[in-house]
PDB file of all heavy atoms in Angstrom:
ATOM      1  N   HIS A 499      16.857   2.387   2.654  1.00 83.00           N
ATOM      2  CA  HIS A 499      15.465   2.765   2.854  1.00 83.00           C
ATOM      3  C   HIS A 499      14.925   3.556   1.664  1.00 83.00           C
ATOM      4  O   HIS A 499      15.679   4.260   0.986  1.00 83.00           O
ATOM      5  CB  HIS A 499      15.382   3.616   4.099  1.00 83.00           C
ATOM      6  CG  HIS A 499      13.993   3.836   4.652  1.00 83.00           C
ATOM      7  ND1 HIS A 499      13.230   4.888   4.254  1.00 83.00           N
ATOM      8  CD2 HIS A 499      13.224   3.084   5.449  1.00 83.00           C
ATOM      9  CE1 HIS A 499      12.056   4.796   4.832  1.00 83.00           C
ATOM     10  NE2 HIS A 499      12.035   3.743   5.544  1.00 83.00           N
ATOM     11  N   ALA A 500      13.608   3.401   1.395  1.00 83.00           N
ATOM     12  CA  ALA A 500      12.977   4.027   0.272  1.00 83.00           C
ATOM     13  C   ALA A 500      13.079   5.600   0.284  1.00 83.00           C
ATOM     14  O   ALA A 500      13.222   6.224  -0.690  1.00 83.00           O
ATOM     15  CB  ALA A 500      11.517   3.662   0.159  1.00 83.00           C
ATOM     16  N   ASN A 501      13.037   6.098   1.517  1.00 83.00           N
ATOM     17  CA  ASN A 501      13.042   7.635   1.690  1.00 83.00           C
ATOM     18  C   ASN A 501      14.593   7.949   1.780  1.00 83.00           C
ATOM     19  O   ASN A 501      15.215   7.594   2.780  1.00 83.00           O
ATOM     20  CB  ASN A 501      12.338   8.012   2.896  1.00 83.00           C
ATOM     21  CG  ASN A 501      12.231   9.532   3.039  1.00 83.00           C
ATOM     22  OD1 ASN A 501      13.152  10.273   2.555  1.00 83.00           O
ATOM     23  ND2 ASN A 501      11.285  10.017   3.789  1.00 83.00           N
ATOM     24  N   ALA A 502      15.071   8.672   0.804  1.00 86.00           N
ATOM     25  CA  ALA A 502      16.586   9.058   0.820  1.00 86.00           C
ATOM     26  C   ALA A 502      16.923   9.868   1.982  1.00 86.00           C
ATOM     27  O   ALA A 502      18.064   9.801   2.441  1.00 86.00           O
ATOM     28  CB  ALA A 502      16.872   9.809  -0.519  1.00 86.00           C
ATOM     29  N   ASP A 503      16.010  10.687   2.542  1.00 83.00           N
ATOM     30  CA  ASP A 503      16.303  11.558   3.707  1.00 83.00           C
ATOM     31  C   ASP A 503      16.520  10.765   4.964  1.00 83.00           C
ATOM     32  O   ASP A 503      17.162  11.246   5.954  1.00 83.00           O
ATOM     33  CB  ASP A 503      15.215  12.541   3.892  1.00 83.00           C
ATOM     34  CG  ASP A 503      15.093  13.569   2.721  1.00 83.00           C
ATOM     35  OD1 ASP A 503      16.121  13.755   2.059  1.00 83.00           O
ATOM     36  OD2 ASP A 503      13.991  14.103   2.624  1.00 83.00           O
ATOM     37  N   LEU A 504      16.034   9.484   4.977  1.00 83.00           N
ATOM     38  CA  LEU A 504      16.157   8.631   6.221  1.00 83.00           C
ATOM     39  C   LEU A 504      17.217   7.595   6.129  1.00 83.00           C
ATOM     40  O   LEU A 504      17.488   6.906   7.120  1.00 83.00           O
ATOM     41  CB  LEU A 504      14.782   8.018   6.510  1.00 83.00           C
ATOM     42  CG  LEU A 504      13.660   8.967   6.842  1.00 83.00           C
ATOM     43  CD1 LEU A 504      12.335   8.229   7.030  1.00 83.00           C
ATOM     44  CD2 LEU A 504      13.941   9.827   8.024  1.00 83.00           C
ATOM     45  N   ARG A 505      17.762   7.375   4.962  1.00 87.00           N
ATOM     46  CA  ARG A 505      18.753   6.280   4.744  1.00 87.00           C
ATOM     47  C   ARG A 505      19.927   6.345   5.731  1.00 87.00           C
ATOM     48  O   ARG A 505      20.677   7.385   5.750  1.00 87.00           O
ATOM     49  CB  ARG A 505      19.319   6.379   3.274  1.00 87.00           C
ATOM     50  CG  ARG A 505      18.271   5.856   2.301  1.00 87.00           C
ATOM     51  CD  ARG A 505      18.824   5.824   0.918  1.00 87.00           C
ATOM     52  NE  ARG A 505      17.712   5.543  -0.062  1.00 87.00           N
ATOM     53  CZ  ARG A 505      17.666   6.076  -1.271  1.00 87.00           C
ATOM     54  NH1 ARG A 505      18.660   6.772  -1.694  1.00 87.00           N
ATOM     55  NH2 ARG A 505      16.625   5.774  -2.032  1.00 87.00           N
ATOM     56  N   GLY A 506      20.027   5.332   6.515  1.00 88.00           N
ATOM     57  CA  GLY A 506      21.229   5.225   7.450  1.00 88.00           C
ATOM     58  C   GLY A 506      21.140   6.184   8.573  1.00 88.00           C
ATOM     59  O   GLY A 506      22.042   6.311   9.382  1.00 88.00           O
ATOM     60  N   LYS A 507      20.003   6.909   8.754  1.00 89.00           N
ATOM     61  CA  LYS A 507      19.872   7.924   9.830  1.00 89.00           C
ATOM     62  C   LYS A 507      19.252   7.348  11.062  1.00 89.00           C
ATOM     63  O   LYS A 507      18.419   6.481  10.979  1.00 89.00           O
ATOM     64  CB  LYS A 507      19.060   9.097   9.354  1.00 89.00           C
ATOM     65  CG  LYS A 507      19.590   9.864   8.080  1.00 89.00           C
ATOM     66  CD  LYS A 507      20.703  10.806   8.468  1.00 89.00           C
ATOM     67  CE  LYS A 507      21.387  11.422   7.269  1.00 89.00           C
ATOM     68  NZ  LYS A 507      20.967  12.569   6.793  1.00 89.00           N
ATOM     69  N   THR A 508      19.564   7.911  12.202  1.00 91.00           N
ATOM     70  CA  THR A 508      18.927   7.614  13.458  1.00 91.00           C
ATOM     71  C   THR A 508      17.963   8.676  13.725  1.00 91.00           C
ATOM     72  O   THR A 508      18.362   9.920  13.719  1.00 91.00           O
ATOM     73  CB  THR A 508      19.975   7.504  14.587  1.00 91.00           C
ATOM     74  OG1 THR A 508      20.850   6.399  14.261  1.00 91.00           O
ATOM     75  CG2 THR A 508      19.257   7.180  15.913  1.00 91.00           C
TER      76      THR A 508
END
Side-chain angles (χ1 to χ4, degrees):
H499 192 269
N501 184 338
D503 294 335
L504 297 176
R505 289 182 186 146
K507 301 279 173 94
T508 299

